[in-house]
Every structure is written in C-alpha cells, then in structure tokens.
Amino acid sequence: MDLTLPKIIAHRGAPHEAPENTLPALDAANKLGAKWVEFDVMLTLDDVPVIIHDKTLNRTTNGIGRVSKTDYATLKMLDAGSWFSLEFSNTKIPTLEQYLDKAQQLGLGVNIEMKAQAGKEEKLAEQIISLLEKYWNQSLPTPLISSFSVENLIPLKNLACPYPIAYNTDSWHDCCRDIATVLNCFSIHMNKQQITKARVLENKKHNLHTLAYTVNSKTEADKLFELGVSAIFSDFPNML
Ligand code: G3P
Ligand code: MG
C-alpha cells in the first residue's frame, strides 16, 4: 500500500487549543504544523455522518442523548464549543463532508475512525468511500480508515474500499494480528501500554505497521519509536 505516515497524527485535531473534532480544531492542528489528523465519525438518526468522539452528546455539546438517536436537524443546532471555551461558543458538530472539505483545503492527511452503531456499518462505510472519492485530492496522502470494531471494517472490504484500513485495539491478544491480517490491514493502532518490541516486530513480519495512542510526552514517543512504532497519535501535534 502506497502510504507514507507522518511520525505524529493530531488526535481529534488539537484538543488543547480548540474543541476536539470541530473545524476550529482542524485549523489549530494545522497551525501547530500537523500533517495528519485523526477524527471519529458516526451516523445521526437520519444517517448523516458527523464528527464526534462520544456516543452521546453530553460531554462535548450543550445537548444530551445519543448521537444515533438524534436527527441532523436537531444536532446542527447544538453548541459544540462552549464546553471548551466561550471563545468557541456556537461552534457546530461538523459533518464528515464539511470536515473532509476543510482538511483537504488545509492539505491535511486524514485518519477516519469509524464508529457506526450496530446495523449501520455498511451505510457509514458507503458514505465514507463516496465522500473520499469527492474530497480526496490525489496530491494529499492516501486516507487511512480505522476502527475498533471488526463489524465496521468488514463492509469496507465488501465494498472493495480503495483506501488502506487499520484495526484499533485497546487490549492486546495475538488474535488482533490475525484479524488485521485477514482484513488485509495496513496497520494496527494499539494502546501505547500494550506495545512491546516483540509485538511490533511480529506485526512487521505480517506486513502491518504499528501505531500508538494516545502519546502526549516526547520521552514516551521516543521510547515507542525505539520499539519500532511507525507513528503516534497525540493531543499535541507539535510535540516532536
Ligand atoms: O484512533 C486512535 C485513537 O483515537 C483511539 O481512541 O477513543 O480517542 O477514538 P479514541
Ligand atoms: Mg479516535
């Protein structure tokens, strides 16, 4: 797969500078020199892909309830910035389309983390592929699509997704590598605490890059690179 990763991927934008997973967070990451951004995407009740990390609106907006139970007309009225700082009041939850448009204007590479609810995995996969066809500019790095959920990744394969995919795992079992291999993944994204030299090496033998999240100190990052990690996700995209 022709994909060159940067050493550092901006996790949810630059979440110490601007509300995570919003358009200002993309601007902030870009200002800090990020080359790539990671973000989370899920579907609203009426199947609009939106950028938000939690299953519920509670932490990062002035709304409450599940994203999957809220329609887009309601969701777009919410304020996704004031919880972070009044300077960002009335910042909206972006749609995937708005986010990709902005990322490509800024020349940022993207790691799209899929979080479709059960039963909607294929719908989300279809929309991601079709929006990437529209917004991915060939002069930008190839987008990488990842998920903790195998059920989210399988439809990408079934739809012959032309973009590389990655399997995220929070706790390691050797079967994670088998899953990533069967799905022909480009990379495995591991909780930094689960990373050992032996695991990274074995991943490499299976043609899998290892990425680590969420790494917020340079000392920690250097150690992980020594273990053979290809890239890290960080809340501080200028950390290195
Ligand atoms: O994709 C790496 C990392 O973002 C996974 O964790 O919970 O921040 O989406 P989370
Ligand atoms: Mg994520």
Side-chain angles (χ1 to χ4, degrees):
M1 198 80 65
D2 184 20
L3 167 55
T4 311
L5 289 171
K7 284 286 180 205
I8 191 158
I9 298 175
H11 181 236
R12 307 184 201 168
H16 291 278
E17 305 286 328
E20 65 181 53
N21 282 337
T22 63
L23 298 179
L26 278 184
D27 276 322
N30 182 53
K31 262 195 206 144
L32 292 177
K35 299 283 174 250
W36 275 61
V37 285
E38 181 268 359
F39 52 89
D40 311 282
V41 60
M42 59 186 87
L43 290 172
T44 61
L45 179 64
D46 48 346
D47 298 334
V48 178
V50 290
I51 311 304
I52 185 165
H53 177 270
D54 298 1
K55 284 182 182 157
T56 71
L57 299 160
N58 308 11
R59 180 178 63 90
T60 59
T61 79
N62 61 345
I64 49 162
R66 292 177 90 82
V67 176
S68 61
K69 303 273 185 226
T70 310
D71 63 22
Y72 182 63
T74 307
L75 189 139
K76 77 175 182 191
M77 306 299 284
L78 299 176
D79 176 342
S82 293
W83 69 275
F84 180 84
S85 152
L86 287 180
E87 185 195 336
F88 295 98
S89 65
N90 225 21
T91 297
K92 299 297 176 191
I93 297 175
T95 62
L96 176 60
E97 178 155 19
Q98 291 163 347
Y99 218 67
L100 289 175
D101 186 23
K102 174 95 179 172
Q104 72 90 32
Q105 281 175 37
L106 295 172
L108 293 167
V110 293
N111 170 207
I112 304 173
E113 187 187 335
M114 285 179 77
K115 291 187 169 172
Q117 56 272 47
K120 293 221 176 166
E121 297 90 347
E122 188 165 330
K123 261 188 188 139
L124 180 58
E126 279 168 0
Q127 296 211 53
I128 290 173
I129 294 170
S130 89
L131 284 170
L132 282 176
E133 270 162 26
K134 185 169 167 194
Y135 285 102
W136 180 51
N137 170 338
Q138 301 271 334
S139 68
L140 292 176
T142 308
L144 179 61
I145 307 173
S146 60
S147 190
F148 284 98
S149 145
V150 174
E151 290 77 13
N152 272 251
L153 295 175
I154 288 172
L156 294 169
K157 291 318 263 183
N158 294 343
L159 293 163
C161 171
Y163 308 104
I165 68 168
Y167 182 48
N168 291 5
T169 175
D170 209 40
S171 54
W172 181 262
H173 303 280
D174 284 338
C175 72
C176 296
R177 187 180 299 115
D178 299 334
I179 292 168
T181 304
V182 168
L183 290 169
N184 194 25
C185 287
F186 170 82
S187 49
I188 299 189
H189 302 175
M190 292 172 64
N191 181 324
K192 62 187 178 188
Q193 280 155 358
Q194 306 280 312
I195 291 183
T196 64
K197 196 165 196 155
R199 286 171 182 168
V200 175
L201 204 66
E202 198 59 28
N203 288 348
K204 251 183 209 155
K205 281 190 197 155
H206 286 77
N207 224 8
L208 292 161
H209 287 266
T210 305
L211 277 65
Y213 67 87
T214 303
V215 183
N216 287 335
S217 97
K218 184 168 180 324
T219 317
E220 206 168 38
D222 289 343
K223 274 191 200 140
L224 288 160
F225 289 131
E226 261 174 50
L227 298 180
V229 159
S230 301
I232 55 162
F233 296 92
S234 178
D235 295 330
F236 299 96
N238 57 343
M239 187 179 71
L240 299 180

Short mmCIF file of all heavy atoms in Angstrom, two decimals, residues 11-12 21 38-41 53 111-115 146 148 168 233, ligand 2:
data_model
loop_
_atom_site.label_atom_id
_atom_site.label_comp_id
_atom_site.label_asym_id
_atom_site.label_seq_id
_atom_site.Cartn_x
_atom_site.Cartn_y
_atom_site.Cartn_z
N HIS A 11 -4.46 13.95 17.23
CA HIS A 11 -5.58 13.19 17.78
C HIS A 11 -6.77 14.12 18.04
O HIS A 11 -6.67 15.03 18.85
CB HIS A 11 -5.10 12.55 19.09
CG HIS A 11 -6.10 11.71 19.79
ND1 HIS A 11 -6.47 11.93 21.09
CD2 HIS A 11 -6.82 10.64 19.36
CE1 HIS A 11 -7.35 11.03 21.45
NE2 HIS A 11 -7.59 10.22 20.42
N ARG A 12 -7.85 13.91 17.33
CA ARG A 12 -9.08 14.74 17.41
C ARG A 12 -8.78 16.21 17.12
O ARG A 12 -9.45 17.11 17.65
CB ARG A 12 -9.74 14.63 18.79
CG ARG A 12 -10.01 13.19 19.24
CD ARG A 12 -10.75 13.15 20.56
NE ARG A 12 -10.58 11.87 21.21
CZ ARG A 12 -10.90 11.59 22.47
NH1 ARG A 12 -11.47 12.53 23.21
NH2 ARG A 12 -10.70 10.40 22.98
N ASN A 21 -12.43 17.59 17.51
CA ASN A 21 -13.29 17.14 16.40
C ASN A 21 -14.22 18.23 15.84
O ASN A 21 -15.35 17.94 15.43
CB ASN A 21 -14.13 15.92 16.83
CG ASN A 21 -13.32 14.63 16.84
OD1 ASN A 21 -12.32 14.51 16.15
ND2 ASN A 21 -13.78 13.65 17.58
N GLU A 38 -6.50 12.80 13.05
CA GLU A 38 -7.39 11.67 13.34
C GLU A 38 -8.70 12.24 13.82
O GLU A 38 -8.73 13.25 14.52
CB GLU A 38 -6.75 10.80 14.43
CG GLU A 38 -7.54 9.56 14.81
CD GLU A 38 -8.51 9.76 15.98
OE1 GLU A 38 -8.58 10.88 16.55
OE2 GLU A 38 -9.23 8.81 16.29
N PHE A 39 -9.81 11.60 13.43
CA PHE A 39 -11.12 12.03 13.95
C PHE A 39 -12.09 10.86 13.91
O PHE A 39 -11.85 9.85 13.23
CB PHE A 39 -11.66 13.24 13.18
CG PHE A 39 -11.69 13.05 11.68
CD1 PHE A 39 -12.80 12.49 11.07
CD2 PHE A 39 -10.62 13.43 10.90
CE1 PHE A 39 -12.84 12.31 9.70
CE2 PHE A 39 -10.65 13.26 9.51
CZ PHE A 39 -11.77 12.70 8.92
N ASP A 40 -13.19 11.03 14.65
CA ASP A 40 -14.15 9.94 14.84
C ASP A 40 -15.44 10.29 14.10
O ASP A 40 -15.90 11.43 14.17
CB ASP A 40 -14.45 9.81 16.33
CG ASP A 40 -13.17 9.77 17.16
OD1 ASP A 40 -12.54 8.71 17.19
OD2 ASP A 40 -12.79 10.82 17.73
N VAL A 41 -16.00 9.29 13.44
CA VAL A 41 -17.24 9.57 12.68
C VAL A 41 -18.31 8.55 13.00
O VAL A 41 -18.04 7.36 13.11
CB VAL A 41 -16.95 9.65 11.15
CG1 VAL A 41 -16.36 8.37 10.60
CG2 VAL A 41 -18.20 10.03 10.37
N HIS A 53 -16.64 12.26 19.10
CA HIS A 53 -15.98 11.10 19.70
C HIS A 53 -16.91 10.22 20.51
O HIS A 53 -16.93 8.99 20.36
CB HIS A 53 -14.82 11.56 20.61
CG HIS A 53 -14.16 10.41 21.30
ND1 HIS A 53 -14.56 9.94 22.53
CD2 HIS A 53 -13.14 9.61 20.91
CE1 HIS A 53 -13.81 8.91 22.88
NE2 HIS A 53 -12.95 8.68 21.91
N ASN A 111 -6.96 10.35 9.10
CA ASN A 111 -7.28 9.02 9.60
C ASN A 111 -8.70 9.10 10.14
O ASN A 111 -8.97 9.77 11.13
CB ASN A 111 -6.31 8.60 10.70
CG ASN A 111 -6.74 7.33 11.43
OD1 ASN A 111 -6.40 7.14 12.58
ND2 ASN A 111 -7.51 6.46 10.80
N ILE A 112 -9.60 8.42 9.43
CA ILE A 112 -11.02 8.44 9.78
C ILE A 112 -11.31 7.23 10.67
O ILE A 112 -11.15 6.09 10.22
CB ILE A 112 -11.88 8.35 8.51
CG1 ILE A 112 -11.52 9.49 7.55
CG2 ILE A 112 -13.36 8.33 8.85
CD1 ILE A 112 -12.21 9.38 6.19
N GLU A 113 -11.71 7.48 11.89
CA GLU A 113 -12.06 6.36 12.77
C GLU A 113 -13.56 6.13 12.73
O GLU A 113 -14.35 6.99 13.11
CB GLU A 113 -11.58 6.63 14.20
CG GLU A 113 -11.81 5.37 15.04
CD GLU A 113 -11.55 5.56 16.52
OE1 GLU A 113 -10.78 6.44 16.91
OE2 GLU A 113 -12.16 4.79 17.27
N MET A 114 -13.95 4.95 12.27
CA MET A 114 -15.38 4.62 12.10
C MET A 114 -15.99 4.15 13.41
O MET A 114 -15.44 3.25 14.07
CB MET A 114 -15.54 3.47 11.10
CG MET A 114 -15.35 3.83 9.66
SD MET A 114 -15.56 2.34 8.65
CE MET A 114 -17.34 2.13 8.64
N LYS A 115 -17.14 4.71 13.71
CA LYS A 115 -17.87 4.31 14.92
C LYS A 115 -19.34 4.16 14.61
O LYS A 115 -20.18 4.78 15.29
CB LYS A 115 -17.65 5.37 16.01
CG LYS A 115 -16.22 5.42 16.54
CD LYS A 115 -16.07 6.34 17.72
CE LYS A 115 -14.70 6.15 18.38
NZ LYS A 115 -14.43 7.16 19.40
N SER A 146 -9.92 3.59 10.01
CA SER A 146 -9.67 2.65 11.10
C SER A 146 -10.93 2.43 11.92
O SER A 146 -11.88 3.21 11.85
CB SER A 146 -8.56 3.20 12.01
OG SER A 146 -8.96 4.45 12.54
N PHE A 148 -12.16 0.26 15.92
CA PHE A 148 -12.03 -0.76 16.96
C PHE A 148 -12.97 -1.92 16.65
O PHE A 148 -12.86 -2.98 17.26
CB PHE A 148 -12.43 -0.19 18.33
CG PHE A 148 -11.39 0.70 18.94
CD1 PHE A 148 -11.47 2.08 18.83
CD2 PHE A 148 -10.32 0.17 19.64
CE1 PHE A 148 -10.52 2.90 19.41
CE2 PHE A 148 -9.35 0.99 20.23
CZ PHE A 148 -9.45 2.36 20.11
N ASN A 168 -7.99 -1.01 15.22
CA ASN A 168 -7.63 -0.40 16.51
C ASN A 168 -7.89 -1.41 17.61
O ASN A 168 -8.94 -2.07 17.61
CB ASN A 168 -8.52 0.81 16.81
CG ASN A 168 -8.27 1.98 15.89
OD1 ASN A 168 -7.49 1.91 14.96
ND2 ASN A 168 -8.96 3.08 16.15
N PHE A 233 -0.37 8.81 17.81
CA PHE A 233 -1.47 9.78 17.90
C PHE A 233 -1.20 10.63 19.13
O PHE A 233 -0.91 10.09 20.20
CB PHE A 233 -2.81 9.06 18.07
CG PHE A 233 -3.17 8.20 16.90
CD1 PHE A 233 -2.82 6.86 16.86
CD2 PHE A 233 -3.86 8.75 15.83
CE1 PHE A 233 -3.15 6.07 15.77
CE2 PHE A 233 -4.20 7.97 14.74
CZ PHE A 233 -3.84 6.63 14.70
MG MG B 2 -10.49 8.24 17.67
#
